[in-house]
Amino acid sequence: MSFALAHAATAPARSTQVFIVAAGATAVPAAAAGDLSSEAQAYVAAALADDQPLVHLNHFSHHHYFVVLADKPAPAQVAEALRRSGHALLGLLKKEKTAAVFVHNLSQSPDAALRLAEGLALSAYRFGGYKTDEKSRTAPALTTVTLVGDAATPAGLAALDGLLQGVVLARDLVNAPLNKLNAVQFAERMAAAGDEAGYTTDVLDLAKIEALRMGGLLAVNLGSPEPPTFSILEWKPAGAQNAKPYVLVGKGVVFDTGGLSLKPTPNSMDMMKCDMAGGAAVAGVLYALAKNQVPLHVIGLVPATDNRPGGLAYVPGDVLTMHSGLTVEVKNTDAEGRLLLADALSFARKYDPALVIDLATLTGAAVRALGTEASAVLGTADAATMQQLAAAGHAVHERLVEFPLWDEYADHIKSDIADLSNLGKGEAGHISAAKFLERFAGGYPWVHLDIAGPAYLTAAESYRGKGGTGTGVRLLYEFLTKQLTEQPALTQESC
Ligand code: BES
Ligand code: ZN
Ligand code: ZN
């Protein structure tokens, strides 16, 4: 993260301070009035009466900011408005080249300061990148955000910090281009992150992948000069509350050219370094769980390769035998994600999971249906699980829209000569892709998240910024920690 999150009992005098105040506040609360002149107080009161959501007082040596809680019916909407206020506040702090701010929560919402800090931190993210000039490498001005008094508990703050580091990991991985992050480097980076956070990583190499007969992953890899990897990440703390593990599966296509069914470059292939965003999110979730010592047993599976044309590349018409034994007729080499996910999904069965959730930038159809605003969710898990996921989506504002897995959609992926075709019809492509995966996700409850829209933004949008968003990390951390019988310090619901 680009600044440190800290906690302090009080803020020093003449420091830059942020006061979060209740919705509809019309006067400066007593706790914030201390060193303000009556003119300054009148100025703030007038701005509050004018419904301004963010009020700035410039004292030249330091500043005061007032963030007003949104007047919205749902706690999740209030939380999201606070994240967005964090983004707006960062803009002002940058302008003033502020190094340190102290945040007070004078509202009735106990998590308000955490949500503001979340928005500040997610907005302050910068990809390290590869620029060589000094100016680009100098650190940003804002170095510390300190939450004061009961604005947060130190434990709650530490948990938010761990979660945000997971988001940063996912964003950094997505933003790295193919020539800095091939499948082997991707696996190495996930393993290094595990060493740091505390989860273990077992990277299966080409020989092991061949021995496991992962025909989908191997076929997609054929056009690549570099070998595939299959990473197994595991967080199994001593006091895990779940007897059966949660398994998270992430698509790890480090670059998707489409293969011989080549994508056109403009607006199609050019952002395809993001095609491992599902895998990156899995690593980000494991990282956050381990950092925060969350007492849940969770396994991450990330099959990885690039998808390219090349001398040996798989071709339309090829019939593959998958890890599960099912056969697949390849009708389009650009529908590659489902092939490697299928192998990972049938492999997941050996863990006897309580639930398997896969995340994948799987289809343009999901983007056309929902834009970058939401992910598509489909699955065989029970209604309660789907409901909990939807609630987590609202809580962290990574929203989900459910689509059906009706039998009729299975007709879209019929093949004349194999068990399945990897290509659906022109319509409902995100549904037929999920129907394909469903054939491999037997023996456990399963959820599929098509994150193709929100995973990567070509233009900045508030705290989600430009490039990799880390979508899925906050969502699944929220969902998983809500499964705990005893809740940890960080919750998203009490705003
Ligand atoms: N990686 C793409 C999907 C994608 C599209 C991700 C836009 C992020 C943004 C996937 O592998 C793909 O190419 N899907 C094809 C499938 C089709 C050939 C059945 C698609 O959706 O066009
Ligand atoms: Zn593709
Ligand atoms: Zn792809």
Side-chain angles (χ1 to χ4, degrees), residues 256 258 263 275 307 334-336:
D256 183 10
K263 288 179 186 293
D275 214 16
N307 180 30
D334 198 11
E336 84 298 340

Side-chain angles (χ1 to χ4, degrees), residues 143-442:
T143 56
T144 327
V145 173
T146 304
L147 274 57
V148 179
D150 59 7
T153 61
L157 203 60
L160 175 63
D161 201 29
L163 172 57
L164 291 170
Q165 286 181 42
V167 177
V168 166
L169 172 65
R171 287 182 175 186
D172 280 347
L173 289 168
V174 172
N175 289 331
L178 175 64
N179 75 336
K180 304 287 181 191
L181 195 90
N182 61 26
V184 172
Q185 292 164 319
F186 185 21
E188 285 169 356
R189 292 271 296 269
M190 291 192 287
D195 292 344
E196 200 185 295
Y199 65 78
T200 61
T201 312
D202 183 13
V203 181
L204 309 186
D205 62 8
L206 176 63
K208 293 212 179 100
I209 294 165
E210 282 173 343
L212 286 164
R213 298 172 185 273
M214 292 189 166
L217 178 56
L218 290 165
V220 177
N221 180 251
L222 282 174
S224 174
E226 284 149 350
T229 54
F230 189 101
S231 298
I232 304 172
L233 287 50
E234 184 165 21
W235 168 241
K236 191 177 186 184
Q241 293 182 4
N242 52 331
K244 289 177 165 199
Y246 294 99
V247 176
L248 309 180
V249 176
K251 174 175 173 181
V253 173
V254 284
F255 195 86
D256 183 10
T257 67
L260 284 166
S261 312
L262 197 65
K263 288 179 186 293
T265 315
N267 305 321
S268 176
M269 192 199 292
D270 34 15
M271 59 180 270
M272 278 304 140
K273 68 176 184 182
C274 79
D275 214 16
M276 33 57 76
V282 168
V285 176
L286 270 284
Y287 188 94
L289 293 169
K291 269 268 159 159
N292 292 349
Q293 297 286 312
V294 175
L296 288 174
H297 181 197
V298 181
I299 294 166
L301 303 178
V302 184
T305 177
D306 49 340
N307 180 30
R308 300 202 220 212
L312 297 173
Y314 74 139
V315 303
D318 278 356
V319 174
L320 316 176
T321 301
M322 309 292 279
H323 171 261
S324 77
L326 285 175
T327 57
V328 174
E329 182 183 7
V330 175
K331 290 211 179 128
N332 187 316
T333 63
D334 198 11
E336 84 298 340
R338 66 197 70 186
L339 299 174
L340 41 108
L341 286 171
D343 284 341
L345 287 170
S346 56
F347 182 80
R349 198 168 172 164
K350 75 172 206 169
Y351 297 106
D352 187 21
L355 174 66
V356 176
I357 303 176
D358 78 71
L359 300 95
T361 45
L362 203 60
T363 65
V367 189
R368 286 189 291 278
L370 301 170
T372 58
E373 282 78 7
S375 295
V377 57
L378 307 95
T380 58
D382 61 20
T385 301
M386 288 306 207
Q387 166 51 37
Q388 287 161 19
L389 268 166
H394 285 293
V396 305
H397 208 73
E398 291 185 3
R399 289 168 299 177
L400 305 175
V401 177
E402 189 172 358
F403 287 88
L405 281 174
W406 295 327
D407 286 347
E408 289 80 355
Y409 291 106
D411 295 344
H412 294 212
I413 47 164
K414 276 190 172 153
S415 160
D416 291 338
I417 59 168
D419 298 326
L420 288 159
S421 156
N422 79 330
L423 183 64
K425 295 185 183 173
E427 302 81 33
H430 53 312
I431 302 181
S432 51
K435 285 305 281 183
F436 182 96
L437 297 178
E438 187 186 17
R439 291 288 296 274
F440 300 88

